[in-house]
Amino acid sequence: MTGDDMYRYLIKRILLIVPTLFGAATLVFFLMRLIPGDICVIRLGSGGTSFTEQALSECHAALGLDRPLWLQFIHFIWGFCRLDLGTSMWSGRPVAYEIATRFPVSLEIAVFATVIAVIIAIPLGTISALKQNSWTDLAVRTFAIAGIATPSFWIGIVSLLAVLNLTQYFFGQPWMPPINYVSVWQHPLRSMSIVILPAVTVGYRYSAVVMRMTRSAMLEVLREDYIRTARAKGLVNRIIVNRHGLKNAMLPVVTVIGIEFAFLIGGLVVTETVFNLNGIGRLLVQAIGNQDYTLTQGIVMLIVTIFVLTNLVVDVLYAWLDPRIRFA
Amino acid sequence: MTMISQDAAAPLVADEAGGLHRRSLPARFLDFIRHQPLGTVGIVMVGIVLVAGIGADWIAPYDPTANDFAAMMQSPSWAHLLGTDQFGRDILSRIIYGARTALIVGLSTAMIGGAGGLLLGVASAYFGGRLDLLVQRALDVLMAFPLIIMALAVVAAFGTGVRNVIIALTIPLIPRCARVVRSSALAIREVPYVDAARACGFSHSRIILRHMVPNVVAPFLIVVTAAVGQAILAEAALSYLGLGVQEPVPDWGLMLQGGAEEYAVTAPWIAIFPGLAIMLAVFGVNIFGDALRDALDPKLRER
Amino acid sequence: MDLQDPPGRQFHNGDPLTAADVAASLNEIAFPPKGVLSPRSDNFMMVKDITAPDPGTVVIHLKFATTAFLPALADPFNWIYEKKILDTDPHWYEQHIMGSGPFKFAGYQIGQSIKGVRNPDYYHKGLPYLDGFVGIFAPKQAVQLDAIRADRAATEFRGYPPSAIDQLKEQLDGQIKVQTSDWNCTLGAWINHKKKPFDDVRVRRALTLAIDRWGSAPGLSKIAVMHTVGSIVFPGSPLAPSKAQLETLAGFWPGINKSRAEARRLLKEAGAEGLSFELLNRNVDQPYKYLGTWLVDQWSKIGLHVTQRVVPTGPWFAALRSGDFTVGTGGSCHGIVNPPIDVQTWLPRSVSSANFGYYDDPKEIDLYDKMLHETDPTKQRADMWNFVKWVLDDQAHFIETMWWYRIVPLRSYVNGWKIGPSHYLNQDLSTIWLSPPHCGKCTAEPAPAL
């Protein structure tokens, strides 16, 4: 593996992002315009009041919706290139500001969910692989498949109910997490008490995915010759697992964690709805509902960019570690 | 075709090499149960969902949409085995009919998306060159959207309802399926008999359909089976958000919003049973899929 | 019209509030300058001019005398801003909040919460009692109820159905109290006359005949805020029809079987048996989603196949406004009970922009005008009945169902709030006070405000 190869691969891989982001931008731009309805009608009339045609056209002009479609599109793409997402058509505030006020909630849930997932998944997955086909293995696998099969919002509903009922039963007063988010920097404890239930809710599914990957990666590694050699040399199992096995099995596991994390940032819509959290997912649903083109485009492009960049990092990491990929 | 194991998956995949020695059906069945205890459980669970979905009209004790204000939010009893919801509708009947909705969405999504992905993947691998490049970039774009985001956008554009939910879930499935199929097909494309077929002057479609498609069936089936479970889950999530199937259509995800949450304290059965139904159905599909993968993919066997 | 305003009021920024500010704000609403959107300018179509001859007097000249003026002026959405600011930037209000009320704006986290702190210079001396408040955004009924249960919220001012309230009472034995009121809101379904076969009055009558209002109300009113079977006139009003009169309207007949048999007969006669259509509905728990599910079931009883298209508020309005629907939920909700004005909603499309039936009906306008100009209460009641019967029975323009009912839960430490028939009104919170231990130094009821 020469540095040149790696360099070339890196350039190629980064260049590939451009058409992907452009395609995604085009797709979201035109999908939004397919949605029947009009943000100005919604803005002017959602109180049930009447308004004139003139008011409608003034609103269109103010939002730039009276311009030809191709001009709006170029404006959007050019803005995106300059990292300027524009102004929300609904609130009139910068899209970047709207996103920035919601992003911390989603990010915090995703981070905690990751921590929970890793804590559960890595030990269980490893044990499961070591005791392959035992009852322990079967139990862990069942637990994992159930995690993938259970709708996270249902766990959310049931756990919220359980917390309310149990606290009422044991302490006399029902308790639920605060629904008014504060950032972890302001009130660490309060903030954590808000996100812990949602994080567990999505963390279960997340841990299930990681657990399965850990198990199969461990199995793969345990079959490799050097582990057999180590075993033959009489090294104790624990040393083998810690020093040789886990370390080599980590790459695909880290990959899955990374991709799932990127997925979570955008995929929290349902969980945020259950717990009434003001995150990026719910903002997206609201933005689509209000037909706020600029805000929807901004959020979608943010999520897509995170997704694409995570994939880039993962791919490059792989290529760096496994030269064969570069020539595929 | 050496990919196919002898005992487990023989009935599932056509074997061209014919090197399979046939044993009696009960023997093979017992073999499968012994090797795949979880898989067997999966098959049974999938079977239950299938029977419920197909036979809902005969099995369900009540009309799933009929309001009965005399029987609102009743706890489980002999008259209503799983209780009733806030409209007095029988929850068991709604779950049984809900299996039909889940099956329709899950299977159509997997079939349409799978077929699309299969053709795209194989064609892309077979023709290669510029077409491949173009298809790959298009797939990149679709893959860059997390599933739920794509589904949200599609439902917003085309509206709610069973048909549109299927469209919304099919679109993200196509690229995922095409990717898997393409990478298997790429390997097969270089195999001598495909070259031979080309040399014989067979048409492209004949080569693709007769020689390449059968050879990517194993990974394809694995992806498609997994897609069924994913589609059922995603459909439930969309319907829960109010963006999927609409009232009064009996649907598991829909059953979990509204009354299920509002009356979770006094009538928890409204929330618990539909959730269990989703979990068990997807659980069944997934372990069935796992068993199928183990059976079809020799690299992963013995695990 | 001459409005005297006592001096001594001031804005939250400390500037005095004078008649000039009131006149400037109302002018911007009634006669918006170019580039300013005023959805409520129509409310003031009777106004000729608004002036402020001295700091304590606002003079409003009307083009013609009408009872519609005072309710328009009392509309809670007529914000007053400083003239100085409006003169320099007429768009200032779009991004800023200012007033003279009991609480000062103290922060807004979009989609999450809004905060207010006590205004010490409020013109009612001694008010408000609270040091401040936090309003939490929680669109789902389930989350709202959980929050009240866990005391994350002290109250919710819109209202809940009885079964939700019962559930709260059961969990919070003695820690919760409720206030109830009829609600000046009603909900039903618009029939788009432009879509076939709904241009046929027989089909429209069949749709309304299928619905068992009397039989469903006791059950439905437990789970939805829908409650009182009535016409398009607020049931508590002296102008509302009696029960005996109601029972002569299509769909309000005492026997539902007879009603549904008639519905089937009409459908058959119109060649619309087993009709399928889509009901446009709004993605709001109370009472829209409950209404939708119930209506679809009712219509299935006469062999109709109805599916729902449930969309968020914005697209729901957009679809109603563009006529892109066949049957859609809708109704009317007003701040002040004023039936002669409230029923304008059901005037033909050419007159009422809130009408989504898309019909033309000169006779209906005549009936309405007769009622509006009648000053004798008894005669006006009779005229109103003729109008109602024409709209709901003869023409079956609209499918009226039930009027709403408010049950507002308050944690028992919340005092001083009084319910009314509208959730738009009485929300300034100035008279609310808390019992110990939820207030700092207080031990008993606060001194009455001056």
Side-chain angles (χ1 to χ4, degrees), chain C residues 248-267:
Chain C
T248 64
L249 296 174
F252 293 76
W253 302 347
I256 189 60
N257 291 336
K258 186 181 134 213
S259 192
R260 286 190 180 139
E262 171 68 3
R264 282 178 184 274
R265 190 190 67 76
L266 284 171
L267 282 178

Side-chain angles (χ1 to χ4, degrees), chain A residues 76-86 96 305:
Chain A
F76 160 54
I77 297 288
W78 174 232
F80 183 70
C81 292
R82 290 175 301 143
L83 297 181
D84 172 11
L85 296 173
T305 309

Side-chain angles (χ1 to χ4, degrees), chain C residues 171-374:
Chain C
Q171 295 148 4
L172 298 173
D173 186 28
Q175 301 177 67
I176 198 101
K177 59 188 175 191
V178 299
Q179 291 190 33
T180 59
S181 168
D182 280 319
W183 201 341
N184 190 17
C185 292
T186 187
L187 196 63
W190 288 107
I191 307 170
N192 187 346
H193 293 43
K194 289 244 163 75
K195 303 266 172 166
K196 288 200 180 296
F198 299 99
D199 53 339
D200 187 333
V201 67
R202 290 170 300 186
V203 177
R204 299 199 301 267
R205 276 177 69 90
L207 288 195
T208 194
L209 279 164
I211 292 157
D212 184 9
R213 294 162 175 86
W214 303 110
S216 304
L220 191 61
S221 66
K222 286 201 187 93
I223 50 171
V225 296
M226 299 166 64
H227 183 269
T228 314
V229 179
S231 71
I232 52 178
V233 180
F234 182 63
S237 156
L239 292 174
S242 67
K243 188 173 180 194
Q245 282 177 319
L246 273 182
E247 286 186 340
T248 64
L249 296 174
F252 293 76
W253 302 347
I256 189 60
N257 291 336
K258 186 181 134 213
S259 192
R260 286 190 180 139
E262 171 68 3
R264 282 178 184 274
R265 190 190 67 76
L266 284 171
L267 282 178
K268 192 170 179 187
E269 199 181 294
E273 278 175 298
L275 184 67
S276 301
F277 63 89
E278 191 179 62
L279 173 71
L280 171 74
N281 201 358
R282 183 183 186 181
N283 190 4
V284 169
D285 288 334
Q286 283 297 352
Y288 290 85
K289 286 187 180 172
Y290 281 91
L291 172 75
T293 304
W294 173 64
L295 282 180
V296 171
D297 182 54
Q298 294 290 307
W299 283 323
S300 76
K301 303 273 163 62
I302 57 164
L304 300 181
H305 304 283
V306 184
T307 52
Q308 278 199 88
R309 169 159 57 117
V310 188
V311 293
T313 300
W316 172 74
F317 253 115
L320 285 178
R321 280 182 190 281
S322 63
D324 176 27
F325 71 100
T326 42
V327 180
T329 56
S332 150
C333 213
H334 293 277
I336 293 159
V337 180
N338 190 359
I341 298 299
D342 294 349
V343 296
Q344 280 183 343
T345 303
W346 287 276
L347 287 177
R349 184 73 186 164
S350 54
V351 182
S352 161
S353 60
N355 180 313
F356 302 116
Y358 295 94
Y359 50 82
D360 214 12
D361 187 345
K363 185 175 174 196
E364 191 199 344
I365 301 178
D366 291 345
L367 287 169
Y368 176 76
D369 282 343
K370 189 157 183 292
M371 181 274 299
L372 186 66
H373 292 109
E374 182 55 64

